[in-house]
Amino acid sequence: MRERDLPIPSHFDAARVGKVWRVAYEDRAAEARSWAREHDITPAADDDRRACLLLVDVQNTFCIPGFELFVAGRSGTGAVDDNRRLCEFVYRNLGSISRMTVTLDTHRPIQIFHAIFFVDADGRHPPPFTLITAEDVESGRWRGNPAAAAALGETPESLQKHLSHYARALRAGDRYALTIWPYHAMLGGIGHALVSAVEEAIFFHSVARVSQPDFQVKGDNPLTESYSVLGPEVLSDAVGRPVAHTNHALIRALNEYDAVIVAGQAKSHCVAWTVSDLLDRIVGRLPDATGKVYLLEDCTSPVVVPDTIDYTAEADAAFGRFRDAGMHVVRSTTPLSQWPGILGHQRVFKPGTERLP
């Protein structure tokens, strides 16, 4: 790990971050190899301290204006500004990032948070951003679409039982109410793809540091939401059968890093719940290890839909809780040498406590 700022490569064009285009892989690969030689960037396998950059759902569907769930934040340009800073962070700190773990929100049409899954008494589907509570399900205001039940191998009765159990479980777990989201991150579609500028930065890093990126698919289970890459919102159905599983493999992988840096979208949802799950796996087992987690506060934005929903307060409250627990909320523009903890000028951990549990 080489903790020094590097220049931004000439191929990076900040004006194109909010657009979709094809990455010129062969050109970038040649430039990355040359860049590594010019700046004495060594393979990640040689790092004495290993840092993972965890990128949450940096996909067109969330990050490009005009796409289905563009995360605008209150500024109106949130995810575009976040990704410009994120790309610059990657290039400046190429020698300090050992590996990138990239999550991909991945959906099909018939899922529990899409309109086709529900109907009312007149057979109408709920509009986007409808919140469905346990009372809504149990009163019959919204019920499972019988055709959707058949498509998933369920009966209308079993689907309805699951929905009632699911909505109650969300409330009992202090999670967000079940939200009907616009169709987004559709598997095989352009919205599912990574933002071009971020994909290019990931590819450039991979070649320059000879480090294979780790891609984590999440959200493809039709019977539960999966804001967090570490685990779904609800694990079992009405009779206790598992419908999804905790991502123990990724938890173990993150355990191997000396530092985990988190960025992506959205601050109020997939980033917040991923970090919350990570926190729950640390506190009570090795509290000091929370200091190895760094949250890039200027590379993430909350879900805001004018005159409809605004999760800014919830996002800020979550980051406040993470900070209070010992995680570092930092800015991408601050040199790593000025960050607290293991990546910066202060080594705050005792010997033997430098791994996430």
Side-chain angles (χ1 to χ4, degrees), residues 322-334:
F322 302 148
R323 181 190 289 109
D324 292 343
M327 294 180 175
H328 303 292
V329 179
V330 295
R331 297 189 67 81
S332 66
T333 53
T334 303

Side-chain angles (χ1 to χ4, degrees), residues 79-95:
V80 174
D81 298 333
D82 296 335
N83 286 336
R84 173 180 51 78
R85 289 185 287 262
L86 175 60
C87 290
E88 292 172 349
F89 174 82
V90 169
Y91 291 127
R92 284 199 311 270
N93 298 287
L94 206 69

Side-chain angles (χ1 to χ4, degrees), residues 27-224:
D27 291 344
R28 293 296 88 80
E31 293 167 9
R33 291 190 293 269
S34 175
W35 196 255
R37 290 192 297 270
E38 179 182 353
H39 296 283
D40 192 25
I41 299 170
T42 57
D46 297 337
D47 288 352
D48 56 345
R49 285 184 290 168
R50 301 178 66 237
C52 174
L53 178 58
L54 176 58
L55 300 182
V56 178
D57 299 358
V58 190
Q59 297 162 267
N60 292 330
T61 200
F62 303 113
C63 299
I64 301 297
F67 274 69
E68 302 86 4
L69 269 177
F70 175 59
V71 181
R74 287 182 175 173
S75 71
T77 57
V80 174
D81 298 333
D82 296 335
N83 286 336
R84 173 180 51 78
R85 289 185 287 262
L86 175 60
C87 290
E88 292 172 349
F89 174 82
V90 169
Y91 291 127
R92 284 199 311 270
N93 298 287
L94 206 69
S96 299
I97 300 168
S98 305
R99 194 181 192 189
M100 296 198 199
T101 294
V102 184
T103 76
L104 294 169
D105 210 33
T106 303
H107 304 318
R108 302 170 194 245
I110 305 173
Q111 296 201 234
I112 200 169
F113 43 79
H114 283 157
I116 196 173
F117 210 91
F118 290 89
V119 291
D120 64 10
D122 298 318
R124 294 172 300 196
H125 302 301
F129 305 111
T130 297
L131 300 180
I132 296 180
T133 66
E135 291 76 17
D136 292 331
V137 175
E138 291 163 5
S139 69
R141 180 183 180 187
W142 295 111
R143 61 188 178 89
N145 182 353
L152 297 175
E154 300 281 341
T155 66
E157 294 76 20
S158 68
L159 187 63
Q160 197 64 20
K161 287 181 180 178
H162 177 68
L163 291 174
S164 181
H165 159 77
Y166 188 88
R168 290 196 305 268
L170 289 179
R171 183 173 59 192
D174 197 27
R175 316 296 277 189
Y176 289 137
L178 176 58
T179 303
I180 301 301
W181 296 107
Y183 295 103
H184 66 286
M186 303 302 290
L187 181 61
I190 193 171
H192 183 258
L194 289 172
V195 171
S196 299
V198 177
E199 181 199 4
E200 183 177 54
I202 293 169
F203 180 80
F204 191 86
H205 170 272
S206 180
V207 175
R209 302 230 59 208
V210 198
S211 173
Q212 190 84 299
D214 173 30
F215 291 97
Q216 295 281 329
V217 169
K218 71 177 184 67
D220 56 345
N221 189 306
L223 295 178
T224 184

Side-chain angles (χ1 to χ4, degrees), residues 289-308:
T290 57
K292 298 197 302 178
V293 179
Y294 296 82
L295 310 178
L296 293 178
E297 65 173 343
D298 59 343
C299 295
T300 183
S301 293
V303 171
V304 176
V305 180
D307 302 320
T308 304

